[in-house]
Amino acid sequence: MNPAPIINKKSVKSALPLRQAQKQEKRLKGKGGRRPLKNYLGKVVTLSPPKSTLEKSKTADVPANVSVDELLCAIEKAGLTGMSGNGFPIHQKITSFLAAKPGNRILLINAVECDPALVHDEWLLHNRYAEIRQAIHHLKQTLSLTGVVLAIKDKRIRPNDACTIATVPPRYPMGEEHFLIRQALGIPIESDTIPAEQGILVLNIQSVYQIGKIISNDYDGGRFVTIADLTKASARVVYVYPGENIATLLTAHFGAQGNKTLHKGFGAMSCVTADKMDDFSNCETFAAYVDVPQIDSKNKCKHCGSCTRRCPMHIKVAKIVQNTDGNRHFDNASYHPERCMQCGSCTYFCPASKDVSGYVTRG
Ligand code: SF4
Ligand code: SF4
């Protein structure tokens, strides 16, 4: 099953708690300009205080200087993968980066967290900033970086000696690597180019935090994720370990499931249904209770064209939907569905609540 959005504009509008959370976020951070991305989703949850101690406390070793080989070896041994949920091994990404032109090596830290239901990166930014700065200092030295840029939406973060701050507009999907590089660094980069091979290493903020823990010999295999009850627009940041049961954790924080459905994945725009037996693996970043989602391919298309206008990759999504629903013998390949980055924007903005992105990803 492909991950898909579990909310859309219509469902947010009709659910008072989600609508209020979105309004509050808009008041706090504004919507930013419509360039280069016009989609605005904001946040549909508000962060509740943590219920218990997050990480198991352990006295970290004072970080020593590590060589590149030692660092890569330690990251590989820890099995650290991209904390945005892509599951890509971080040591491989760093290896490609190091093979790039040595004169100009930039680390771009992604703390943009554009999914409307994720809050753990922002929590880290405010609650683990000292540790992240220390990790940046180590990465700078070890990887001979020429620059470090921290991309954020929150204007309250002050510039510091560890990195340059780039404030980006809270548009969606700004967290996607190529859009972020264009916006935060002003470097035009094609969507089929691998940034690490061009000397731009993009790491999620939690990846940097966890690399810091690896250097301090304090890494324990756990990570921060967002859990939420979307029926109440309530979210919490928790520290989980692979193998921890999702339903048990949600019940402990939000009470019994009742007739809500359980979902897991990488945010409200990229989820699959889960059952009571499902555990966290080492890549999910999100789990939530949701009212039964009304998004369904069987709903009738209104021919409004919104899905095409909202697609950041300029795919003619409406054509694909209409050809498929009309059983027309037309080769949708000419609309380049392979460019789809599975952001879910087309589904979110569809007034007919169709599972639009599914048409593109399923072909
Ligand atoms: S077609 Fe793909 S890239 Fe375009 S809006 Fe839909 S999910 Fe996003
Ligand atoms: S699929 Fe939805 S957004 Fe796209 S044209 Fe049809 S009704 Fe409009």
Side-chain angles (χ1 to χ4, degrees), residues 311-313 315 317 340-346 357 360:
C311 177
M313 299 310 286
I315 299 167
V317 190
C340 176
M341 60 166 91
Q342 301 189 25
C343 68
S345 297
C346 49
S357 57
V360 184

Side-chain angles (χ1 to χ4, degrees), residues 85-324:
N86 61 18
F88 194 79
I90 288 183
H91 74 278
Q92 279 181 24
K93 198 171 187 181
I94 298 179
T95 305
S96 310
F97 170 70
L98 293 173
K101 34 185 179 173
N104 198 13
R105 286 182 181 160
I106 300 169
L107 168 62
L108 175 59
I109 303 171
N110 185 352
V112 170
E113 198 173 51
C114 54
D115 184 276
L118 293 183
V119 287
H120 56 272
D121 282 355
E122 182 156 352
W123 184 92
L124 265 168
L125 202 51
H126 291 288
N127 294 278
R128 295 291 185 274
Y129 199 39
E131 292 87 340
I132 289 163
R133 280 177 58 181
Q134 197 171 45
I136 294 172
H137 279 302
H138 279 275
L139 283 171
K140 240 181 185 173
Q141 248 178 19
T142 311
L143 303 181
S144 310
L145 300 172
T146 46
V148 180
V149 177
L150 172 62
I152 52 167
K153 291 181 303 191
D154 193 339
K155 294 183 181 132
R156 290 170 298 174
I157 299 293
R158 298 250 171 262
N160 63 69
D161 55 337
C163 55
T164 308
I165 305 282
T167 312
V168 299
R171 295 278 167 164
Y172 185 82
M174 189 57 86
E176 193 279 330
E177 283 194 6
H178 297 82
F179 285 116
L180 193 63
I181 290 168
R182 268 179 257 167
Q183 186 67 20
L185 305 180
I187 299 173
I189 185 159
E190 295 302 321
S191 55
D192 55 358
T193 304
I194 298 170
E197 292 174 359
Q198 303 300 310
I200 304 168
L201 177 64
V202 185
L203 291 179
N204 174 270
I205 188 163
Q206 184 167 186
S207 302
V208 174
Y209 175 73
Q210 298 291 2
I211 289 173
K213 287 182 89 168
I214 289 171
I215 295 172
S216 312
N217 198 23
D218 189 31
Y219 180 70
D220 60 5
R223 69 197 191 288
F224 292 99
V225 301
T226 301
I227 56 169
D229 182 347
L230 285 186
T231 65
K232 297 189 181 126
S234 172
R236 281 208 164 106
V237 175
V238 288
Y239 196 77
V240 301
Y241 295 88
E244 228 169 304
N245 183 266
I246 295 174
T248 308
L249 189 69
L250 260 74
T251 307
H253 283 267
F254 301 113
Q257 186 177 346
N259 54 2
K260 302 164 199 165
T261 60
L262 186 61
H263 282 74
K264 62 173 185 174
F266 313 105
M269 299 298 283
S270 184
C271 256
V272 293
T273 45
D275 66 39
K276 287 189 174 173
M277 302 303 289
D278 279 344
D279 298 331
F280 280 101
S281 69
N282 64 350
C283 67
E284 283 98 11
T285 53
F286 177 71
Y289 284 152
V290 192
D291 277 330
V292 181
Q294 302 300 321
I295 300 167
D296 196 332
S297 315
K298 291 189 195 105
N299 297 339
K300 206 166 181 303
C301 173
K302 296 174 187 240
H303 295 255
C304 66
S306 174
C307 49
T308 298
R309 290 194 298 278
R310 296 292 185 163
C311 177
M313 299 310 286
H314 308 293
I315 299 167
K316 292 187 174 162
V317 190
K319 293 270 187 204
I320 296 177
V321 171
Q322 287 148 22
N323 285 337
T324 310

